[in-house]
Amino acid sequence: VAFSQSQGGVYDVSFAGASRLMSGGLEGDATLWDLSDRRPLSSWTASESTVLSIQGLDGGRECLTQGKEGLLQLWDPATKSSLWQTHTDACSFARALVLPSGGEATL
């Protein structure tokens, strides 16, 4: 399956429900895709460098990105706004992961 990322190349992908895909790019862009027509529903700058990991949450209504600069951010793809963020030096080489915990997401 080929998707046309607007900036640079794709570094990471994550499913966000049955019909949506999230992609994080080498140039810091994050994109929410509709798999039925392979078109972006939303695209925004999520990092000042590479998006090392991206995870779609709640069917794509939220998204966690990890930038190479060590910034973890929770996003609302519909408004392209950051809902939460934290900076950690450990994230420049390790991958962030969200695990379900009794109906809540745990980082």
Side-chain angles (χ1 to χ4, degrees), residues 32-74:
L32 172 63
W33 298 90
D34 182 339
L35 292 175
S36 62
D37 64 7
R38 299 182 187 170
R39 295 186 183 270
L41 295 171
S42 182
S43 188
W44 67 98
T45 301
S47 174
E48 57 191 47
S49 60
T50 299
V51 175
L52 294 177
S53 69
I54 189 165
Q55 285 195 291
L57 305 169
D58 196 20
R61 287 185 279 280
E62 290 183 341
C63 165
L64 181 71
T65 61
Q66 170 190 358
K68 190 173 183 180
E69 74 279 1
L71 190 62
L72 289 175
Q73 293 186 85
L74 182 67

Short mmCIF file of all heavy atoms in Angstrom, two decimals, residues 32-74:
data_model
loop_
_atom_site.label_atom_id
_atom_site.label_comp_id
_atom_site.label_asym_id
_atom_site.label_seq_id
_atom_site.Cartn_x
_atom_site.Cartn_y
_atom_site.Cartn_z
N LEU A 32 -2.90 11.61 9.86
CA LEU A 32 -3.97 10.65 10.08
C LEU A 32 -4.58 10.35 8.72
O LEU A 32 -5.03 11.26 8.02
CB LEU A 32 -5.03 11.22 11.03
CG LEU A 32 -6.30 10.40 11.22
CD1 LEU A 32 -6.00 9.05 11.84
CD2 LEU A 32 -7.31 11.17 12.06
N TRP A 33 -4.55 9.04 8.33
CA TRP A 33 -5.01 8.63 7.01
C TRP A 33 -6.33 7.88 7.10
O TRP A 33 -6.57 7.12 8.03
CB TRP A 33 -4.00 7.68 6.37
CG TRP A 33 -2.66 8.28 6.13
CD1 TRP A 33 -1.60 8.29 6.99
CD2 TRP A 33 -2.22 8.96 4.96
NE1 TRP A 33 -0.53 8.92 6.42
CE2 TRP A 33 -0.88 9.34 5.17
CE3 TRP A 33 -2.83 9.26 3.74
CZ2 TRP A 33 -0.15 10.02 4.21
CZ3 TRP A 33 -2.09 9.94 2.79
CH2 TRP A 33 -0.77 10.32 3.03
N ASP A 34 -7.16 8.06 6.09
CA ASP A 34 -8.37 7.26 5.90
C ASP A 34 -7.98 6.12 4.97
O ASP A 34 -7.59 6.35 3.82
CB ASP A 34 -9.47 8.11 5.27
CG ASP A 34 -10.77 7.36 5.09
OD1 ASP A 34 -10.76 6.11 5.06
OD2 ASP A 34 -11.81 8.02 4.97
N LEU A 35 -8.04 4.88 5.46
CA LEU A 35 -7.59 3.74 4.66
C LEU A 35 -8.52 3.42 3.50
O LEU A 35 -8.10 2.80 2.53
CB LEU A 35 -7.44 2.50 5.55
CG LEU A 35 -6.30 2.58 6.56
CD1 LEU A 35 -6.31 1.36 7.47
CD2 LEU A 35 -4.96 2.70 5.85
N SER A 36 -9.77 3.84 3.57
CA SER A 36 -10.70 3.53 2.48
C SER A 36 -10.36 4.27 1.20
O SER A 36 -10.50 3.72 0.11
CB SER A 36 -12.14 3.81 2.90
OG SER A 36 -12.31 5.19 3.17
N ASP A 37 -9.89 5.50 1.30
CA ASP A 37 -9.54 6.24 0.08
C ASP A 37 -8.06 6.67 0.03
O ASP A 37 -7.65 7.35 -0.90
CB ASP A 37 -10.45 7.45 -0.11
CG ASP A 37 -10.31 8.49 0.98
OD1 ASP A 37 -9.42 8.36 1.83
OD2 ASP A 37 -11.12 9.43 0.98
N ARG A 38 -7.29 6.28 1.05
CA ARG A 38 -5.85 6.57 1.11
C ARG A 38 -5.54 8.06 1.08
O ARG A 38 -4.51 8.49 0.55
CB ARG A 38 -5.10 5.85 0.00
CG ARG A 38 -5.22 4.37 0.08
CD ARG A 38 -4.44 3.71 -1.00
NE ARG A 38 -4.71 2.28 -1.01
CZ ARG A 38 -4.33 1.47 -1.95
NH1 ARG A 38 -3.66 1.92 -2.97
NH2 ARG A 38 -4.63 0.19 -1.88
N ARG A 39 -6.41 8.84 1.65
CA ARG A 39 -6.20 10.30 1.70
C ARG A 39 -6.03 10.74 3.15
O ARG A 39 -6.61 10.15 4.05
CB ARG A 39 -7.37 11.03 1.07
CG ARG A 39 -7.52 10.77 -0.40
CD ARG A 39 -8.62 11.64 -0.99
NE ARG A 39 -8.81 11.35 -2.38
CZ ARG A 39 -8.17 11.96 -3.36
NH1 ARG A 39 -7.31 12.89 -3.09
NH2 ARG A 39 -8.40 11.64 -4.62
N PRO A 40 -5.25 11.80 3.36
CA PRO A 40 -5.07 12.29 4.73
C PRO A 40 -6.33 12.99 5.25
O PRO A 40 -6.95 13.76 4.53
CB PRO A 40 -3.91 13.27 4.62
CG PRO A 40 -3.83 13.66 3.18
CD PRO A 40 -4.42 12.52 2.40
N LEU A 41 -6.69 12.67 6.48
CA LEU A 41 -7.78 13.37 7.16
C LEU A 41 -7.24 14.59 7.89
O LEU A 41 -7.94 15.58 8.06
CB LEU A 41 -8.47 12.44 8.16
CG LEU A 41 -9.19 11.23 7.57
CD1 LEU A 41 -9.62 10.28 8.68
CD2 LEU A 41 -10.38 11.69 6.76
N SER A 42 -6.00 14.50 8.34
CA SER A 42 -5.36 15.58 9.08
C SER A 42 -3.85 15.41 8.99
O SER A 42 -3.35 14.29 8.99
CB SER A 42 -5.81 15.54 10.55
OG SER A 42 -5.25 16.60 11.28
N SER A 43 -3.13 16.51 8.91
CA SER A 43 -1.68 16.47 8.89
C SER A 43 -1.15 17.73 9.58
O SER A 43 -1.70 18.81 9.39
CB SER A 43 -1.18 16.40 7.44
OG SER A 43 0.21 16.19 7.41
N TRP A 44 -0.11 17.56 10.40
CA TRP A 44 0.42 18.69 11.17
C TRP A 44 1.89 18.43 11.51
O TRP A 44 2.38 17.32 11.40
CB TRP A 44 -0.39 18.93 12.43
CG TRP A 44 -0.30 17.83 13.46
CD1 TRP A 44 0.51 17.80 14.55
CD2 TRP A 44 -1.02 16.60 13.47
NE1 TRP A 44 0.34 16.63 15.24
CE2 TRP A 44 -0.60 15.87 14.60
CE3 TRP A 44 -1.98 16.01 12.63
CZ2 TRP A 44 -1.10 14.61 14.91
CZ3 TRP A 44 -2.47 14.75 12.95
CH2 TRP A 44 -2.05 14.08 14.08
N THR A 45 2.60 19.47 11.94
CA THR A 45 3.98 19.34 12.38
C THR A 45 3.97 18.92 13.84
O THR A 45 3.48 19.66 14.70
CB THR A 45 4.74 20.66 12.20
OG1 THR A 45 4.71 21.02 10.83
CG2 THR A 45 6.18 20.53 12.67
N ALA A 46 4.50 17.72 14.12
CA ALA A 46 4.49 17.15 15.47
C ALA A 46 5.85 17.21 16.14
O ALA A 46 5.94 17.02 17.35
CB ALA A 46 4.01 15.71 15.41
N SER A 47 6.90 17.48 15.38
CA SER A 47 8.25 17.48 15.94
C SER A 47 9.13 18.42 15.14
O SER A 47 8.92 18.61 13.95
CB SER A 47 8.83 16.06 15.89
OG SER A 47 10.17 16.03 16.29
N GLU A 48 10.13 18.97 15.81
CA GLU A 48 11.09 19.81 15.10
C GLU A 48 12.15 18.96 14.40
O GLU A 48 12.99 19.47 13.68
CB GLU A 48 11.74 20.82 16.04
CG GLU A 48 12.44 20.20 17.22
CD GLU A 48 12.85 21.22 18.27
OE1 GLU A 48 12.03 22.06 18.64
OE2 GLU A 48 14.00 21.13 18.72
N SER A 49 12.08 17.64 14.63
CA SER A 49 12.97 16.71 13.95
C SER A 49 12.14 15.51 13.50
O SER A 49 10.98 15.65 13.16
CB SER A 49 14.11 16.29 14.88
OG SER A 49 13.60 15.67 16.05
N THR A 50 12.69 14.32 13.52
CA THR A 50 11.99 13.10 13.09
C THR A 50 10.98 12.64 14.14
O THR A 50 11.25 12.70 15.33
CB THR A 50 13.02 11.98 12.84
OG1 THR A 50 13.91 12.41 11.80
CG2 THR A 50 12.36 10.69 12.42
N VAL A 51 9.82 12.17 13.69
CA VAL A 51 8.86 11.51 14.58
C VAL A 51 9.30 10.05 14.69
O VAL A 51 9.15 9.27 13.75
CB VAL A 51 7.41 11.60 14.04
CG1 VAL A 51 6.46 10.81 14.92
CG2 VAL A 51 6.97 13.06 13.97
N LEU A 52 9.89 9.68 15.85
CA LEU A 52 10.41 8.33 16.05
C LEU A 52 9.30 7.30 16.22
O LEU A 52 9.44 6.15 15.81
CB LEU A 52 11.32 8.28 17.27
CG LEU A 52 12.62 9.07 17.19
CD1 LEU A 52 13.37 8.98 18.50
CD2 LEU A 52 13.47 8.58 16.03
N SER A 53 8.21 7.70 16.89
CA SER A 53 7.08 6.79 17.03
C SER A 53 5.78 7.59 17.07
O SER A 53 5.75 8.75 17.48
CB SER A 53 7.21 5.90 18.26
OG SER A 53 7.06 6.63 19.45
N ILE A 54 4.73 6.93 16.61
CA ILE A 54 3.41 7.54 16.59
C ILE A 54 2.40 6.44 16.92
O ILE A 54 2.54 5.31 16.47
CB ILE A 54 3.11 8.20 15.23
CG1 ILE A 54 1.83 9.01 15.28
CG2 ILE A 54 3.09 7.17 14.11
CD1 ILE A 54 1.67 9.97 14.11
N GLN A 55 1.44 6.76 17.77
CA GLN A 55 0.40 5.80 18.12
C GLN A 55 -0.95 6.48 18.09
O GLN A 55 -1.15 7.50 18.76
CB GLN A 55 0.64 5.23 19.51
CG GLN A 55 1.76 4.23 19.54
CD GLN A 55 1.75 3.43 20.81
OE1 GLN A 55 2.01 3.97 21.86
NE2 GLN A 55 1.45 2.16 20.69
N GLY A 56 -1.84 5.92 17.30
CA GLY A 56 -3.21 6.39 17.27
C GLY A 56 -3.97 5.85 18.46
O GLY A 56 -3.85 4.67 18.79
N LEU A 57 -4.72 6.69 19.12
CA LEU A 57 -5.50 6.29 20.29
C LEU A 57 -6.96 6.64 20.06
O LEU A 57 -7.28 7.62 19.38
CB LEU A 57 -4.99 7.02 21.54
CG LEU A 57 -3.50 6.88 21.85
CD1 LEU A 57 -3.09 7.86 22.93
CD2 LEU A 57 -3.18 5.46 22.24
N ASP A 58 -7.85 5.85 20.64
CA ASP A 58 -9.29 6.12 20.58
C ASP A 58 -9.77 6.29 19.14
O ASP A 58 -10.47 7.24 18.81
CB ASP A 58 -9.61 7.36 21.43
CG ASP A 58 -11.09 7.48 21.76
OD1 ASP A 58 -11.81 6.47 21.67
OD2 ASP A 58 -11.53 8.60 22.09
N GLY A 59 -9.37 5.35 18.28
CA GLY A 59 -9.82 5.37 16.89
C GLY A 59 -9.30 6.54 16.08
O GLY A 59 -9.89 6.92 15.08
N GLY A 60 -8.18 7.13 16.51
CA GLY A 60 -7.61 8.28 15.81
C GLY A 60 -8.06 9.62 16.35
O GLY A 60 -7.68 10.66 15.83
N ARG A 61 -8.86 9.61 17.42
CA ARG A 61 -9.29 10.89 18.00
C ARG A 61 -8.19 11.54 18.83
O ARG A 61 -8.22 12.74 19.09
CB ARG A 61 -10.55 10.70 18.84
CG ARG A 61 -11.79 10.47 17.98
CD ARG A 61 -13.05 10.41 18.80
NE ARG A 61 -13.27 9.11 19.42
CZ ARG A 61 -13.77 8.05 18.82
NH1 ARG A 61 -14.09 8.11 17.53
NH2 ARG A 61 -13.94 6.92 19.45
N GLU A 62 -7.19 10.75 19.22
CA GLU A 62 -6.00 11.26 19.88
C GLU A 62 -4.80 10.52 19.33
O GLU A 62 -4.92 9.44 18.75
CB GLU A 62 -6.07 11.08 21.41
CG GLU A 62 -7.09 11.96 22.07
CD GLU A 62 -7.09 11.82 23.58
OE1 GLU A 62 -6.57 10.81 24.10
OE2 GLU A 62 -7.61 12.73 24.24
N CYS A 63 -3.62 11.08 19.54
CA CYS A 63 -2.40 10.53 18.97
C CYS A 63 -1.23 10.89 19.87
O CYS A 63 -1.12 12.03 20.32
CB CYS A 63 -2.23 11.13 17.59
SG CYS A 63 -0.62 10.92 16.86
N LEU A 64 -0.35 9.92 20.13
CA LEU A 64 0.87 10.16 20.89
C LEU A 64 2.04 10.13 19.93
O LEU A 64 2.20 9.17 19.17
CB LEU A 64 1.06 9.09 21.97
CG LEU A 64 2.30 9.25 22.84
CD1 LEU A 64 2.13 10.45 23.78
CD2 LEU A 64 2.56 7.99 23.64
N THR A 65 2.85 11.19 19.95
CA THR A 65 4.05 11.22 19.12
C THR A 65 5.27 11.34 20.01
O THR A 65 5.23 11.90 21.09
CB THR A 65 4.05 12.41 18.12
OG1 THR A 65 4.00 13.64 18.85
CG2 THR A 65 2.90 12.31 17.15
N GLN A 66 6.37 10.81 19.49
CA GLN A 66 7.67 10.88 20.15
C GLN A 66 8.66 11.44 19.15
O GLN A 66 8.91 10.83 18.11
CB GLN A 66 8.08 9.49 20.59
CG GLN A 66 9.50 9.39 21.08
CD GLN A 66 9.92 7.94 21.26
OE1 GLN A 66 9.15 7.02 21.06
NE2 GLN A 66 11.16 7.74 21.63
N GLY A 67 9.18 12.63 19.43
CA GLY A 67 10.13 13.26 18.54
C GLY A 67 11.56 12.91 18.90
O GLY A 67 11.87 12.60 20.05
N LYS A 68 12.44 12.98 17.93
CA LYS A 68 13.84 12.67 18.14
C LYS A 68 14.48 13.62 19.15
O LYS A 68 15.45 13.28 19.81
CB LYS A 68 14.59 12.73 16.80
CG LYS A 68 15.99 12.19 16.86
CD LYS A 68 16.61 12.13 15.49
CE LYS A 68 17.99 11.52 15.55
NZ LYS A 68 18.59 11.46 14.21
N GLU A 69 13.91 14.81 19.31
CA GLU A 69 14.44 15.77 20.27
C GLU A 69 14.07 15.41 21.72
O GLU A 69 14.48 16.08 22.65
CB GLU A 69 13.95 17.19 19.94
CG GLU A 69 12.49 17.46 20.28
CD GLU A 69 11.50 16.95 19.24
OE1 GLU A 69 11.92 16.36 18.23
OE2 GLU A 69 10.29 17.15 19.44
N GLY A 70 13.30 14.32 21.91
CA GLY A 70 12.96 13.85 23.25
C GLY A 70 11.62 14.33 23.76
O GLY A 70 11.31 14.19 24.94
N LEU A 71 10.80 14.89 22.90
CA LEU A 71 9.49 15.42 23.30
C LEU A 71 8.39 14.40 23.02
O LEU A 71 8.24 13.92 21.90
CB LEU A 71 9.20 16.71 22.54
CG LEU A 71 8.01 17.53 22.99
CD1 LEU A 71 8.19 18.02 24.43
CD2 LEU A 71 7.83 18.72 22.06
N LEU A 72 7.64 14.04 24.07
CA LEU A 72 6.43 13.22 23.94
C LEU A 72 5.25 14.16 23.95
O LEU A 72 5.16 15.04 24.81
CB LEU A 72 6.29 12.26 25.11
CG LEU A 72 7.25 11.09 25.20
CD1 LEU A 72 7.03 10.34 26.50
CD2 LEU A 72 7.08 10.16 24.03
N GLN A 73 4.32 13.99 23.00
CA GLN A 73 3.15 14.86 22.94
C GLN A 73 1.89 14.06 22.64
O GLN A 73 1.92 13.14 21.82
CB GLN A 73 3.31 15.92 21.85
CG GLN A 73 4.41 16.91 22.14
CD GLN A 73 4.43 18.01 21.11
OE1 GLN A 73 3.71 18.98 21.21
NE2 GLN A 73 5.27 17.84 20.10
N LEU A 74 0.82 14.42 23.30
CA LEU A 74 -0.51 13.88 23.02
C LEU A 74 -1.24 14.93 22.20
O LEU A 74 -1.30 16.10 22.59
CB LEU A 74 -1.26 13.59 24.32
CG LEU A 74 -2.65 12.98 24.17
CD1 LEU A 74 -2.54 11.57 23.59
CD2 LEU A 74 -3.36 12.96 25.51
#
